[in-house]
Amino acid sequence: MIELRHLRYFLAVADYGSVAEAARRLHVAQPALSRQMKDLEEELGAVLFERGARGVTLTTAGSQFAIDCRALLTDLRAAKERVSRISVGMEGALRIGIAPNYSWHPKILASLRSFSADAPKVAVMLEPTLSTRQITRIVASELDGGFLTWKYLPQDKTEIDGIREVRLFECHLKLALQRGSRLAKSVPKALAELQSEPCIWFPREIAPAYDDFLTYQCRQAGLSPKKVQIGSDVLTILGLVAAGMGYSIVSDVSAHTCPRDVVLVDHPELTMSHPVSFVYRSEDSNPALLRFVDLLQNAAASSR
């Protein structure tokens, strides 16, 4: 059986043109090295060296074998370096979900930018996915992790075995109003004054926890929204507001994707907030994921 040491010994003899010199450089006995070269030739079934009084030269077969040996050892070194980088999260791949309305948030963009600079050989694949679907895919190992909201306190106290999170920032609620509209020019002091106004809402079947969260906030303010339009996502909701179809209540993260014809207004009765987190499986041993989580945790700690 040919071993790596046979290849290294063979290349040393080929490079120095002398078994004696190669043995000296390799710190092995000359007879032992000569025997190794004979064994290698027998294993290959080919003569590798032409032996003479002044040393050895490569045969045609030996010259080709030298080329192949160098390529093999180069590939081996590259493989070792690659494994080393992967083991510390410097190379590999990350599959990350992201709720579409968070795609442009500065803190998320900054984390991705920092990770790219720290580990440029890790392929990061972002997949726009709503929060509920993200959790399902993370649990099923289809995603390594995701940027999402999955807890809407005080009512929703979601706990899933084997899931961990890094809290990134808090989102507060704002009124979304058509720019230049009657409501935008004179924002009601009490949310209850919006009782008869058309409200554009988020479909409950897509995000029941978020629906409960918004409903709870409205009840706290004495408002029972008149839901007349349903938007399948935040961008659609903001588009309907821009078209003058009604008002909405959205997360302040919408400021980064808000149409020009919509104004987002703080209201003293919109007091609740919800966290945005990076969520991942605790048993996921992907070194690139662990490196990314470490970066997020350090960033979160420094921002406190």
Side-chain angles (χ1 to χ4, degrees), residues 14-274:
D15 289 342
Y16 294 117
S18 165
V19 175
E21 180 63 16
R24 188 176 71 82
R25 298 294 186 105
L26 293 169
H27 305 291
V28 298
Q30 181 176 340
L33 183 56
S34 295
R35 181 68 257 168
Q36 293 278 359
M37 294 301 97
K38 283 290 186 182
D39 290 345
L40 180 61
E41 288 178 320
E42 290 176 6
E43 180 71 24
L44 293 172
V47 176
L48 301 176
F49 298 104
E50 292 180 355
R51 295 163 174 83
R54 296 185 177 182
V56 297
T57 58
L58 290 171
T59 63
T60 301
S63 296
Q64 182 58 55
F65 190 60
I67 293 172
D68 293 339
C69 284
R70 294 186 203 283
L72 284 170
L73 293 177
T74 297
D75 288 344
L76 178 61
R77 282 193 296 271
K80 289 173 65 177
E81 292 171 3
R82 192 155 49 245
V83 166
S84 177
R85 289 195 298 270
I86 290 174
S87 70
V88 294
M90 291 296 291
E91 195 165 322
L94 271 181
R95 301 161 301 169
I96 296 176
I98 186 166
N101 49 320
Y102 302 141
S103 299
W104 293 95
H105 195 283
K107 288 191 175 181
I108 291 179
L109 293 177
S111 69
L112 294 170
R113 198 159 42 239
S114 295
F115 185 71
S116 178
D118 179 60
K121 292 192 175 183
V122 174
V124 178
M125 294 163 280
L126 287 178
E127 299 186 25
T129 312
L130 292 174
S131 295
T132 304
R133 177 63 179 148
Q134 274 195 59
I135 291 294
T136 300
R137 296 186 66 195
I138 291 168
V139 170
S141 302
E142 295 175 8
L143 293 173
D144 291 301
F147 294 103
L148 70 155
T149 294
W150 68 312
K151 294 181 179 179
Y152 295 97
L153 303 177
Q155 291 187 315
D156 182 26
K157 303 183 186 301
T158 303
E159 295 293 342
I160 301 177
D161 289 340
I163 292 291
R164 292 181 181 173
E165 69 174 314
V166 180
R167 290 205 174 188
L168 303 176
F169 53 87
E170 291 285 320
C171 281
H172 300 272
L173 295 174
K174 289 178 177 283
L175 279 177
L177 306 170
Q178 183 189 34
R179 187 179 299 276
S181 66
R182 171 179 52 84
L183 291 176
K185 291 176 180 177
S186 181
V187 179
K189 293 183 179 180
L191 289 179
E193 296 177 42
L194 296 171
Q195 196 81 9
S196 61
E197 299 289 341
C199 179
I200 302 169
W201 204 253
F202 199 82
R204 178 174 177 79
E205 63 272 15
I206 291 179
Y210 185 61
D211 180 81
D212 289 341
F213 172 72
L214 285 183
T215 300
Y216 184 84
Q217 170 67 99
C218 290
R219 286 175 181 168
Q220 292 292 100
L223 171 64
S224 180
K226 180 183 177 183
K227 304 173 187 177
V228 296
Q229 297 283 342
I230 297 292
S232 60
D233 54 51
V234 175
L235 290 178
T236 301
I237 288 172
L238 292 174
L240 292 171
V241 172
M245 305 298 291
Y247 76 94
S248 190
I249 299 173
V250 299
S251 164
D252 59 4
V253 75
S254 300
H256 305 292
T257 54
C258 191
R260 292 176 56 186
D261 291 333
V262 174
V263 290
L264 301 180
V265 180
D266 289 316
H267 196 283
E269 292 184 342
L270 292 176
T271 57
M272 293 175 62
S273 64
H274 62 82

